[in-house]
Amino acid sequence: MNSAAFTPCTPADLKQLPVLPGRAPFFGHMMRLFFRPDKVIRKVDALKSDFVWVQARPGGWHLQVRNPEHFNLLRSKSATNRHYAELANLLLGRSLLTRDGKVHRVQRASMNSPFTPKGLRAAGTSAIMKETIEERVAALIARPKFTALTQTRSLALDIIFRILGIPGRELEQWREHYEEMLFATFPLKWEFPYSPAWRAIRGRNWISTAIQRRLDAVRADPNSEGLLAEMVRGWDASEEREDDSVLIDNILLLGLAGHETTASTMAWMVCHLAASPNLFARALNEVEGVGAIPATPAELIHFPLIEGIFRECLRLYPPVPFVSRALVEPVQVGGVELPAGVEVSFPILLWQRNASRYPDPERFLPDRWIGLPRKPEPLDNIGFSFGPHFCLGYHVAWMEAVQFGVGLVLELARQNKRLKLFGRFPKPRYFGLCQPKKHQTRVRVTPA
């Protein structure tokens, strides 16, 4: 890659491509992208151009790639993820998400083993997830009512910390500082006491120091087991490894990718099961036929409907509405030569409602994933990115969400109960990520 050629581009470099209307002074389309990306993509789609200029931040432009046929750009050797380090350095640092080429391959190879289906079982990760879900779901269903998003956030964070070996007595402290670190997702980075940026830095420093202590403890105990121990061993075995700060960046990336994103999807799953008695009855029939939460990835095959609910929630409500790349050399795509320096953004939110790929795209139809003559294709999994940067934690998220769906329905059956939404079905709320509006995820636990 020719990094010297990397100079940001603007509409002046490709005047033949349309510019999305409705820019605000200075901020451009930034606030709409952050808070209402659904409205942005509708306007992008209406322009009927493969590429559309959007001002994503003050002085910063990118091209929305409207046509999903161009998704191969995500794995092009001419594209880089380096711009993520500038956009969210506090959260992503020198993690896999901001590295390319050989450095990225070495990092990924050193950590890949415990994240494969075989690795999840060998490291005991799937067993820890199953145990945590059983414990938390039983306590949840014992309540007369709960807010789904609040509970799935807590569960997802609990699972992350437990698979990293955090002692139970420390979980609340870790949770507080981790949630403070998430203020780094706020688009304005001005730092002053108690500002979002200031709080994010404070949370990040505490978490980084605490993770380093965990790394030191793992190395001091040759018999230590679990996902973190496997990550450390793989890291230390690499001849080209970097210092521990890079490993910490990747552990934080695991937490970020596996917390809000998985929690959001699980909350949508709860809402659909609560809103549709027919769907719940079908799910109940499926899980009672097996009678237990899957303990390994191989056992997920017994729950095609639960997996279909998970995949359909991801399709309709992708937690991350966009992914992007920056070109370091010119690329010819769809009859257009994109210059080096242009940032290209891929609207997952738009692509996953493409009627030619998903008939009746606005409807929630988990059956569209059942009995497929093939495995889900790259575009079906585009919410986890594509190419060399395909999400390392994909199998963790897949396992966790299906285990949760099965565990929730099983526990409701054991207690002869079902769920019912308090009001109308939740609408998506965008704050960088897509989530259901929290107050609309309140459910009652009622007699079946």
Side-chain angles (χ1 to χ4, degrees), residues 5-294:
F6 187 82
T7 303
C9 292
T10 70
D13 298 291
L14 285 171
K15 295 180 181 179
Q16 74 272 33
L17 299 180
V19 176
L20 189 72
R23 279 188 295 146
F26 183 69
F27 292 105
H29 304 104
M30 182 182 77
M31 302 311 285
R32 281 188 175 272
L33 280 170
F34 195 77
F35 292 107
R36 290 308 304 265
D38 54 328
K39 289 189 174 183
V40 172
I41 65 160
R42 287 193 201 105
K43 290 185 177 181
V44 166
D45 198 33
L47 292 174
K48 305 301 181 184
S49 171
D50 280 8
F51 303 97
V52 176
W53 282 110
V54 176
Q55 187 181 354
R57 54 193 176 276
W61 290 84
H62 69 226
L63 276 178
Q64 286 278 343
V65 185
R66 174 181 164 271
N67 190 342
E69 292 180 8
H70 303 323
F71 80 101
N72 271 313
L73 265 174
L74 278 165
R75 66 176 178 186
S76 171
K77 292 183 179 179
S78 302
T80 179
N81 265 23
R82 290 200 310 267
H83 62 298
Y84 277 124
E86 299 174 11
L87 297 175
N89 183 61
L90 189 68
L91 288 177
L92 304 177
R94 292 180 291 167
S95 67
L96 286 170
L97 196 58
T98 65
R99 315 296 280 277
D100 297 298
K102 183 180 179 181
V103 174
H104 176 269
R105 290 194 299 273
V106 168
Q107 267 196 42
R108 187 163 184 126
S110 70
M111 295 184 291
N112 190 56
S113 178
F115 292 96
T116 63
K118 182 179 178 180
L120 290 180
R121 181 176 181 178
T125 303
S126 55
I128 292 171
M129 291 160 62
K130 177 177 180 289
E131 179 184 332
T132 306
I133 288 168
E134 286 175 333
E135 175 188 316
R136 294 293 297 270
V137 166
L140 191 62
I141 302 308
R143 304 178 178 191
K145 58 188 177 181
F146 62 88
T147 302
L149 184 59
T150 300
Q151 296 302 320
T152 56
R153 277 175 170 168
S154 178
L155 170 62
L157 201 55
D158 202 7
I159 286 173
I160 289 167
F161 291 154
R162 289 192 187 193
I163 64 178
L164 291 176
I166 309 304
R169 65 182 180 278
E170 297 179 15
L171 288 176
E172 187 57 37
Q173 216 177 1
W174 278 72
R175 187 178 293 110
E176 288 175 6
H177 290 284
Y178 180 81
E179 290 176 352
E180 190 171 50
M181 187 182 73
L182 292 181
F183 278 104
T185 60
F186 196 72
L188 299 179
K189 307 302 181 184
W190 298 322
E191 184 186 343
F192 51 87
Y194 300 100
S195 68
W198 182 91
R199 294 183 65 182
I201 291 169
R202 183 173 66 175
R204 161 77 193 228
N205 290 341
W206 190 96
I207 289 281
S208 297
T209 301
I211 292 175
Q212 184 63 65
R213 286 198 298 267
R214 293 294 308 151
L215 299 180
D216 294 341
V218 165
R219 290 185 174 114
D221 180 7
N223 298 316
S224 60
E225 298 178 345
L227 183 136
L228 185 63
E230 293 300 317
M231 288 182 71
V232 170
R233 291 187 187 107
W235 186 261
D236 290 350
S238 173
E239 294 181 359
E240 300 180 68
R241 69 180 182 276
E242 297 176 84
D243 59 57
D244 276 358
S245 67
V246 180
L247 179 56
I248 291 171
D249 286 344
N250 280 292
I251 293 169
L252 288 172
L253 174 63
L254 168 66
L256 179 68
H259 175 225
E260 291 291 331
T261 54
T262 309
S264 171
T265 303
M266 293 192 298
W268 287 114
M269 292 172 70
V270 172
C271 292
H272 277 288
L273 287 166
S276 172
N278 178 59
L279 182 65
F280 178 77
R282 291 180 59 203
L284 181 61
N285 183 61
E286 179 174 271
V287 302
E288 286 193 318
V290 180
I293 296 176

Side-chain angles (χ1 to χ4, degrees), residues 380-393:
D380 295 323
N381 285 324
I382 200 67
F384 293 96
S385 195
F386 178 59
H389 289 282
F390 185 73
C391 179
L392 184 67

